[in-house]
Amino acid sequence: MPTTDDLFADSTPAAPEQIAEGAWLLRGFVLSDADRLLDAISQVASQAPFRHQITPGGYSMSAAMSSCGEWGWVTDRQGYRYSTKDPLTDQPWPAMPDLLRQVAIDAAAASGYEGFNPDACLINRYETGAKMGLHQDKDEADFSAPIVSISLGAPITFMFGGLARTDKTSRWKLEHGDVVVWGGKSRLFFHGVAPLGKRSEHPQTGPMRYNLTFRKVT
Ligand code: MD3
Ligand code: FE
């Protein structure tokens, strides 16, 4: 006998869950697009390879990164910035694939942010042990646009706090197909991810996790 869960599988997306002021968790929102999203990531990475960038302080980031769209995010000894060119190839970043742009627009709209028009998509790739320390995303010109984040592959623990680094943080598990939309007050909240666990895997990506973040840079 099919269960109610089977009958509703894939047809009724979970309702958006509010996790902070202006922030919405859309569990499984891109599950049905996941294969094509992973293909699009491979496509981008064939032109703009994943690389471990160097922080201004001289450390290599544990998450490997690439970008697509008009702007990509770069860090080196000189500092953090957005750039229209990939410093590895000195070429413009690959165009943002239509599918990526469309799912980001749809996720923003499902969270109450109509008319989202991202001009950058940053792609983070985590392997076992990779993490991202608490930080704010404030290199963009206009904080009125949300940031849309898509998780694919191995699950990870995501942390976010408030407007001050010392604010208490809460933890959420982000899994393959989950989307989080950050707008309003939460747009400038401190956030990061805990080290990818040794046993964290996904059938399609093995021990890797990908995170796409869509931004309006200019
Ligand atoms: C909250 N990435 O690329 S995604 C980043 O999982 C980044 O790769 C993490 O932080 C990752 O900058 C977290 C969730 C996320 C992204 C952007 C945010 C949360 C955010 C911007 C503002 C507030
Ligand atoms: Fe961030």
Side-chain angles (χ1 to χ4, degrees):
M1 269 281 276
T3 66
T4 340
D5 277 2
D6 296 329
L7 292 169
F8 284 96
D10 280 348
S11 55
T12 31
E17 230 180 295
Q18 185 163 21
I19 60 172
E21 241 184 283
W24 298 88
L25 171 56
L26 286 66
R27 286 206 168 100
F29 190 80
V30 298
L31 255 188
S32 60
D33 301 312
D35 298 4
R36 285 179 301 144
L37 291 170
L38 287 168
D39 285 346
I41 292 172
S42 302
Q43 195 68 44
V44 168
S46 72
Q47 297 167 256
F50 283 104
R51 81 290 306 261
H52 294 275
Q53 301 195 97
I54 306 298
T55 64
Y59 294 101
S60 171
M61 293 183 68
S62 62
M65 287 189 72
S66 182
S67 291
C68 62
E70 198 178 332
W71 298 92
W73 189 79
V74 171
T75 174
D76 57 22
R77 293 303 306 230
Q78 268 47 288
Y80 304 128
R81 63 199 172 275
Y82 281 98
S83 168
T84 57
K85 280 188 176 178
D86 178 350
L88 264 191
T89 61
D90 206 37
Q91 292 296 119
W93 297 100
M96 191 184 299
D98 289 336
L99 171 70
L100 267 59
R101 181 184 305 280
Q102 198 55 54
V103 297
I105 291 170
D106 292 349
S111 306
Y113 300 102
E114 300 290 341
F116 182 48
N117 182 205
D119 56 10
C121 171
L122 280 52
I123 311 175
N124 298 325
R125 187 188 68 191
Y126 297 84
E127 297 180 60
T128 309
K131 61 183 172 13
M132 192 171 285
L134 274 189
H135 67 277
Q136 289 174 296
D137 290 13
K138 51 179 187 185
D139 297 333
E140 304 76 23
D142 178 4
F143 302 140
S144 70
I147 290 183
V148 172
S149 141
I150 296 180
S151 293
L152 293 167
I156 208 164
T157 300
F158 170 75
M159 310 168 290
F160 75 88
L163 291 173
R165 180 178 290 280
T166 51
D167 287 347
K168 182 183 150 40
T169 57
S170 56
R171 285 158 181 265
W172 300 76
K173 188 175 177 187
L174 291 181
E175 297 186 279
H176 184 71
D178 291 350
V179 177
V180 192
V181 179
W182 305 87
K185 194 166 180 205
S186 73
R187 174 64 183 74
L188 288 170
F189 281 6
F190 276 89
H191 60 276
V193 299
L196 189 79
K198 280 206 181 93
R199 276 165 229 89
S200 180
E201 291 190 1
H202 185 273
Q204 284 173 267
T205 65
M208 307 261 222
R209 169 182 184 257
Y210 296 92
N211 180 262
L212 305 164
T213 48
F214 296 85
R215 296 130 191 274
K216 177 95 180 99
V217 172
T218 57

